[in-house]
Amino acid sequence: MGFEEEYQAFLNAHLQARSGERLRRLQEGHNQAEMLFLKQVWWPLFYHFKYLHPEYEVDDFKDGKRYLDFAYIRPSMRICFEIDGYGPHLKNISRWQFSDNLERQNQLVIDGWTVIRFSFDQVKEKPRRCQQVVQQLIGRWLGDDLDQTSLSLLEKEVLRLVIRKGEDISPTEVEKYLKLSDKTVKKVLSQLVEKKMLIPATGTKRIRSYRLGNQVKDPV
């Protein structure tokens, strides 16, 4: 399915699973900025919304509840993604409210969350840069997970390089970074394409760049 179908299925599944305040917050808190983040940043990277939770409820440091725009939860990682709009209300925020917001974020970090904030303007005008931040962050976990695979040492190093860069990579870049010969790089890249870890990004007969394949984007 395409984005629209997957997005509606994703949202409906969470709506049906909630009640009370958690349902109300999802109905009222999930707006244009959050939808745009999914469409322009998340979807082009992963093509699914697994492990992602909108308007996720967490305990507040003041013994209440707060809601994160998105929580990405895997066994070894918890990431909070916040999409901040810029509007007149920000000019009217008090110094104590500003301090309170910072304290809330600090508490999330203390509780083991990684907190990533994007402005609405960044998501709208610079989605590729936002994608790179997300890919590089999640890529650290994916890179560690590669150690559990049967890939060769060189194959793992090439994939880690692509993950860290967060965008398409050329054979020349691989040669320079890993100090390998042209012949060796071509062989390793071909092996990774065969295993669907990489896919050609540009070029047909002569491939000029590669990007991560779904086997890396969605590890089991």
Side-chain angles (χ1 to χ4, degrees):
M1 291 191 292
F3 170 78
E4 296 296 338
E5 294 84 0
E6 289 282 2
Y7 170 70
Q8 286 303 320
F10 164 74
L11 200 56
N12 289 339
H14 283 278
L15 287 169
Q16 292 171 11
R18 299 187 185 191
S19 60
E21 180 63 11
R22 293 175 67 246
L23 175 61
R24 187 189 71 80
R25 287 300 299 244
L26 180 55
Q27 290 172 327
E28 298 180 5
H30 188 83
N31 297 310
Q32 181 186 7
E34 288 77 15
M35 188 276 287
L36 196 65
F37 169 77
L38 293 180
K39 184 176 184 178
Q40 297 206 160
V41 179
W42 195 267
W43 179 258
L45 285 176
F46 303 105
Y47 300 104
H48 65 70
F49 303 117
K50 287 191 293 184
Y51 319 115
L52 198 64
H53 305 267
E55 291 297 318
Y56 186 77
E57 183 183 86
V58 296
D59 292 329
D60 188 76
F61 75 103
K62 292 183 176 179
D63 297 325
K65 299 292 182 183
R66 68 171 299 188
Y67 293 84
L68 314 180
D69 287 346
F70 294 101
Y72 180 78
I73 302 175
R74 300 294 294 271
S76 60
M77 68 192 315
R78 294 193 298 174
I79 305 175
C80 162
F81 291 104
E82 292 286 313
I83 318 303
D84 300 317
Y86 180 80
H89 68 283
L90 291 179
K91 298 178 182 180
N92 300 324
I93 191 172
S94 71
R95 295 175 68 174
W96 292 115
Q97 287 174 312
F98 178 72
S99 296
D100 185 66
N101 286 340
L102 295 181
E103 190 170 2
R104 288 170 186 267
Q105 178 168 313
N106 290 343
Q107 192 60 49
L108 278 174
V109 174
I110 292 170
D111 289 341
W113 289 85
T114 298
V115 180
I116 299 295
R117 310 189 77 101
F118 295 118
S119 71
F120 176 72
D121 288 339
Q122 283 178 301
V123 171
K124 183 179 179 180
E125 304 297 337
K126 298 181 178 179
R128 183 55 190 149
R129 179 58 191 140
C130 298
Q131 289 173 17
Q132 290 173 334
V133 171
V134 172
Q135 188 171 16
Q136 289 166 354
L137 175 63
I138 295 180
R140 291 193 310 180
W141 180 85
L142 295 179
D144 292 340
D145 196 53
L146 290 174
D147 287 331
Q148 309 304 317
T149 70
S150 60
L151 296 173
S152 71
L153 178 62
L154 277 182
E155 289 172 334
K156 292 176 184 177
E157 287 305 310
V158 170
L159 287 177
R160 286 194 175 98
L161 177 59
V162 180
I163 289 169
R164 284 197 298 270
K165 187 181 180 188
E167 58 184 11
D168 300 349
I169 197 165
S170 69
T172 302
E173 290 176 280
V174 178
E175 291 173 30
K176 290 181 179 179
Y177 184 82
L178 297 178
K179 296 180 173 60
L180 298 172
S181 67
D182 172 71
K183 183 178 180 181
T184 300
V185 167
K186 285 182 178 178
K187 180 180 178 181
V188 174
L189 291 174
S190 295
Q191 290 170 342
L192 289 171
V193 170
E194 288 178 8
K195 295 175 181 179
K196 298 182 180 179
M197 295 288 189
L198 292 180
I199 58 175
T202 56
T204 51
K205 292 183 178 179
R206 185 175 183 275
I207 301 171
R208 294 188 294 275
S209 63
Y210 297 79
R211 64 167 60 106
L212 292 177
N214 290 331
Q215 294 281 19
V216 180
K217 290 179 179 180
D218 186 23
V220 178

